[in-house]
Amino acid sequence: MSSLQQVWPEPIVRVQSLSETGVSEVPDRYIKPPSERPSLEPQPVVEETNIPLIDLGDLLVGDDHSTILNQISEACRDWGFFQVVNHGVSVELMHRALQLWAHFFHLPIGEKLIYANSPLTFEGYGSRLGVEKGAILDWSDYFFLNYLPETLRDHNKWPTLPPSLRETVDEYCRELVKLGGTLMKLFSINLGLGEDHLQKAFGGDDIGACMRVNFYPKCPQPDLTLGLSSHSDPGGMTILLPDDHVAGLQVRRGDSWVTVKVAPGAFVINIGDQIQVLSNANYKSVEHRVIVNSAKERVSLAFFYNPKSDLPIGPLKEFVTPDFPALYTPTTFNEYRQYIRMKGPRGKSQVESLKCPH
Ligand code: OGA
Ligand code: NI
C-alpha cells in the first residue's frame, strides 16, 4: 500500500468546466451503479429527522458542563455526527472563508491550474480522490491544503487570489484547531478518560490538521451521481462548514440517509476512523455522502483534525479487556490514509480492513 503514484492515471477533467459547458447529460464516468444512486424518488429519508444541534455557549460560564457533555455523548454514540452553535468561532470569519473560496473557484481556469495537484501529496486543486484507472468519479472539484504540522504548511501552495485568502485561511484554521482541542477534551471526558488523554493519544501539540474545500458544481442529472461517494472520514474528527443555504450532506442512519439541515452559523462535527480505533469502537465513525442538484452549486470547508502522522494508532489500553480484546491492528495515520488516496471513498471498508483476526 505504500508505493505512491506520481501522476493521475487519466487526464483530469474539471467537473466545474463540464458543468459550465452546459452538458445536458452526466458523462458515463460519473454515473454510479444503481445501488449507489441517491434515488430521489421515493424519498428514503425521514424528512423530520436531523442530526442533533448542540449549543456550546454554556462552556464559557460556570463549571458544570454536564448537560453539554451528555448531549455530546449521546450524539457521538447515537449518530457519530452533530452540529454546534455558539462554538466561539466568529460567524463573520466563517462567512468570509466560505465566500473567498467560492470566489477562488470562480476564477478563470488558468488561475486554478497553477495549483493543480498530483496523487503524491494531494495538495492543491484537484478533481478526483483515488488513482485507480477507470474508476467512477464524483461530481466535485476540491482544494486540499496542509495546516499542521507547521513543517507541512506551505503558503506558496495556497492560492494568492482572491487577495486576502491566505490570511483568512490562517485565521480560520487557527480558530478551528482551538475548537477541535475543546471538543477533544469533551470526547475524552465522555469516554471516561482524563480530559487530556485523547489529545495525548493524538500526539499532544504535534497533531496534524488539513483542510479540503469541496466545490460541487450544478449537475444536470443529480439522481445518477454523487458529489462525494459514501465514506467515513479517515482522520480523527472533522469540523465541517457547509453552505447553510444549499443542502447536500447526507448521514447514514441504518438503511436510510438523513439529509442534514444546517443551523445558521453552525459547524457539523463528526467522529473519524482514528477515534473509532483509539476507543476500540466505543465511538464509531459514520458513513456519509454528498448529493448534488441542478439548481445550485455548493461549497463546503472540511477541516480534518488528525493524530500525528507517524504515531501508531491502536485501541487505548483503557478499552481493552479479556472480554473485549483489541479490535484493530495499530497503524500510523500516514499509512492509513493511503487507502482512500489510492482507492477513493469506499464506505467503511477501510476501518473494517484493520480488524484483527480473532
Ligand atoms: C468530506 C465531506 C461533506 C460536505 O469532505 O469528507 O464529507 O458536505 N464533506 O461537503
Ligand atoms: Ni467526509
Side-chain angles (χ1 to χ4, degrees):
M1 190 75 80
S2 53
S3 75
L4 292 181
Q5 202 161 327
Q6 315 259 335
V7 291
W8 299 110
E10 291 131 343
I12 288 289
V13 176
R14 305 297 166 182
V15 178
Q16 185 180 7
S17 310
L18 261 183
S19 170
E20 285 171 0
T21 57
V23 286
S24 58
E25 287 183 359
V26 168
D28 290 350
R29 289 299 304 274
Y30 302 90
I31 299 182
K32 302 290 171 188
S35 66
E36 290 174 26
R37 292 181 197 165
S39 60
L40 303 174
E41 296 291 339
Q43 181 60 257
V45 163
V46 188
E47 269 306 311
E48 298 311 310
T49 318
N50 197 13
I51 60 171
L53 172 62
I54 300 173
D55 186 338
L56 296 183
D58 282 351
L59 282 182
L60 297 174
V61 289
D63 300 323
D64 181 12
H65 303 141
S66 55
T67 305
I68 292 175
L69 281 164
N70 286 336
Q71 287 171 334
I72 292 181
S73 172
E74 200 154 308
C76 289
R77 287 179 190 280
D78 192 23
W79 285 87
F81 264 85
F82 54 97
Q83 45 182 332
V84 291
V85 288
N86 294 319
H87 38 61
V89 181
S90 140
V91 172
E92 181 278 324
L93 174 60
M94 296 163 73
H95 187 72
R96 177 155 42 99
L98 263 182
Q99 290 298 313
L100 285 167
W101 279 109
H103 189 155
F104 169 79
F105 282 98
H106 286 289
L107 291 173
I109 185 75
E111 286 294 337
K112 292 177 286 197
L113 289 180
I114 298 170
Y115 307 98
N117 74 350
S118 90
L120 206 55
T121 66
F122 274 84
E123 286 173 286
Y125 177 53
S127 295
R128 66 184 286 170
L129 299 167
V131 294
E132 286 188 346
K133 199 169 160 69
I136 304 286
L137 302 178
D138 289 340
W139 193 262
S140 53
D141 300 322
Y142 62 85
F143 197 100
F144 181 75
L145 58 87
N146 285 314
Y147 183 70
L148 288 177
E150 269 181 59
T151 49
L152 285 185
R153 189 187 311 162
D154 184 353
H155 287 138
N156 292 319
K157 292 182 179 165
W158 302 4
T160 46
L161 293 176
S164 58
L165 184 136
R166 286 182 180 172
E167 291 87 329
T168 301
V169 170
D170 263 325
E171 188 185 346
Y172 182 81
C173 289
R174 193 162 56 236
E175 290 298 309
L176 264 61
V177 170
K178 273 193 245 165
L179 175 59
T182 302
L183 291 164
M184 288 287 282
K185 286 195 168 125
L186 301 172
F187 294 162
S188 202
I189 296 167
N190 278 338
L191 283 166
L193 305 167
E195 68 169 25
D196 294 324
H197 200 123
L198 196 58
Q199 181 72 36
K200 285 208 181 99
F202 267 50
D205 290 337
D206 296 327
I207 57 151
C210 50
M211 182 161 82
R212 186 170 64 229
V213 181
N214 300 298
F215 183 81
Y216 305 99
K218 288 181 203 171
C219 179
Q221 293 175 299
D223 46 341
L224 296 183
T225 189
L226 288 168
L228 188 52
S229 293
S230 173
H231 65 284
S232 59
D233 291 342
M237 130 179 48
T238 304
I239 304 178
L240 181 82
L241 173 55
D243 185 325
D244 55 16
H245 300 294
V246 191
L249 174 62
Q250 296 190 320
V251 174
R252 184 190 270 287
R253 186 115 174 115
D255 289 333
S256 63
W257 293 94
V258 172
T259 304
V260 173
K261 288 172 279 294
V262 190
F267 284 113
V268 173
I269 313 292
N270 63 289
I271 300 288
D273 295 345
Q274 303 302 309
I275 291 184
Q276 173 167 337
V277 169
L278 283 166
S279 72
N280 208 18
N282 268 277
Y283 283 178
K284 293 188 183 68
S285 61
V286 167
E287 269 180 85
H288 51 288
R289 67 181 189 181
V290 175
I291 56 169
V292 287
N293 73 87
S294 57
K296 284 187 176 150
E297 65 189 34
R298 179 171 176 271
V299 181
S300 72
L301 312 186
F303 181 85
F304 303 110
Y305 191 100
N306 297 329
K308 184 173 187 296
S309 66
D310 58 0
L311 217 54
I313 301 290
L316 292 170
K317 66 173 181 359
E318 286 78 0
F319 301 110
V320 178
T321 63
D323 289 341
F324 205 88
L327 291 173
Y328 311 103
T329 313
T331 308
T332 67
F333 183 53
N334 246 347
E335 189 65 23
Y336 189 84
R337 70 162 147 203
Q338 293 315 322
Y339 185 98
I340 192 168
R341 290 185 170 191
M342 308 267 285
K343 293 177 187 274
R346 294 211 180 169
K348 287 207 64 170
S349 61
Q350 178 176 18
V351 71
E352 295 299 327
S353 76
L354 269 194
K355 279 217 166 124
C356 302
H358 281 302

